[in-house]
Amino acid sequence: MATHTTPTESESAWREVAAGVHLLTAEPDTVTIGLVVGSEAAVLIDTGSTPAQGARLRARVAEVTDVPLVAAVITHGHRDHWFGLAGVDVPGYGHESLVDLAAAPDPELQTGLARAGLTAAELRAPEHPVSLAGVVALGDRRVELIFVGAGHSRSDLVALVPGEGERPTVIFAGDLVESLPEEQPTPQIGPDADLGSWVDAVGQLMGLAGDAIIVPGHGAPVDARFLDTQGGDLAQTRFLAQQLAADGVPLAEAEHRGEWPLPWAAIEPGVRQVYAGIPKRLPLI
Ligand SMILES: [Zn+2]
């Protein structure tokens, strides 16, 4: 019999960050789950790490509202945001690349599936794939889904809840923004990230942000100033990597040759990517 050591799952209480916008934290991956409630319908933002957790989150909607849950939005195709979708009995919305990813999971997803004791067949593709933009209508309000380009993954989809009057705009940024750990919030540049276009994606997000409450995929809500700082760290990382690669500094020495704004372990895959993208030049003479 296969043995799976599944870390203990739990979900916090809901907390309301703006009128009709509720958050909770799903463990063991400390994912921020959103619930946006309108006059006629509600939508769940992200679904947790397993179908069982997704089902519990779906059941917890009733603690907040009597209106029907009509949709679940996946902010990107990583297991801790997506695997719960199979346990949520409403149509899913996500970036269109999730359809192919569900049909042929990449190695990281396969590892995640094995760890969770799931098969690839249990990975549910969104019924409503979004290429650039989409909308979920909730009666007196709506949630806009916007693809601002690849960044933390190839499938980052931002969910924007427009403000009105005193009500602030809320932007669910997925893992494009990271406010954990609290002492040094660090965006995770994994193997499927695209550091080059992530910098531009954050720039686009800045254009949408204004006074909005920005909800990261992990950690407490932040504001546009935080977003600006994190985007600056990513931009500096990209610039430094380009510079060292152009100067011919080997990747193995790069860690100690630059004043990196973020911990090396978190950015190394991104630096490697930048190196791989610099064309090798022939000697000039
Ligand atoms: Zn992620």
Side-chain angles (χ1 to χ4, degrees):
M1 197 178 85
T3 52
H4 299 287
T5 47
T6 311
T8 314
E9 292 182 355
S10 65
E11 300 83 32
S12 74
W14 290 108
R15 52 194 185 276
E16 194 169 23
V17 286
V21 181
H22 307 260
L23 306 180
L24 69 66
T25 305
E27 301 292 356
D29 297 299
T30 319
V31 179
T32 304
I33 307 293
L35 177 65
V36 184
V37 181
S39 57
E40 288 167 31
V43 59
L44 196 62
I45 315 284
D46 278 337
T47 57
S49 302
T50 64
Q53 185 161 60
R56 285 197 302 278
L57 292 169
R58 197 265 176 270
R60 296 274 308 270
V61 171
E63 292 174 13
V64 170
T65 181
D66 293 335
V67 301
L69 186 76
V70 295
V73 172
I74 305 303
T75 60
H76 63 293
H78 285 168
R79 57 169 194 84
D80 46 339
H81 304 259
W82 185 16
F83 284 6
L85 182 63
V88 182
D89 59 352
V90 293
Y93 288 71
H95 185 253
E96 61 181 359
S97 63
L98 297 190
V99 175
D100 287 342
L101 210 48
D106 64 22
E108 210 168 323
L109 279 177
Q110 281 175 12
T111 305
L113 286 167
R115 240 178 58 193
L118 300 170
T119 65
E122 289 170 277
L123 191 51
R124 185 175 137 206
E127 289 76 14
H128 297 276
V130 174
S131 53
L132 277 177
V135 67
V136 181
L138 305 175
D140 62 348
R141 69 196 326 191
R142 66 188 187 278
V143 176
E144 296 180 9
L145 308 176
I146 306 159
F147 179 63
V148 294
H152 169 75
S153 72
R154 311 290 155 136
S155 55
D156 303 307
L157 197 62
V158 169
L160 185 148
V161 190
E164 203 184 292
E166 295 289 289
R167 203 170 64 190
T169 295
V170 180
I171 298 176
F172 289 88
D175 288 0
L176 282 170
V177 186
E178 176 85 53
S179 64
L180 283 180
E182 278 167 35
E183 60 279 9
Q184 188 174 24
T186 304
Q188 296 302 311
I189 307 176
D192 63 338
D194 186 330
L195 177 59
S197 72
W198 194 343
V199 175
D200 304 325
V202 171
Q204 287 224 45
L205 210 46
M206 279 298 291
L208 301 170
D211 294 332
I213 296 170
I214 299 160
V215 182
H218 305 266
V222 298
D223 59 11
R225 214 168 53 181
F226 179 98
L227 185 63
D228 198 27
T229 303
Q230 198 149 84
D233 287 347
L234 289 167
Q236 198 187 335
T237 301
R238 177 175 72 173
F239 176 71
L240 211 54
Q242 285 168 337
Q243 216 173 29
L244 292 176
D247 288 350
V249 174
L251 181 61
E253 291 172 27
E255 177 183 0
H256 304 290
R257 291 287 293 274
E259 290 279 315
W260 300 100
L262 296 163
W264 179 251
I267 61 172
E268 194 270 343
V271 175
R272 182 178 292 274
Q273 237 173 42
V274 172
Y275 263 72
I278 304 273
K280 293 193 178 50
R281 285 168 300 183
L282 294 168
L284 292 175
I285 48 171

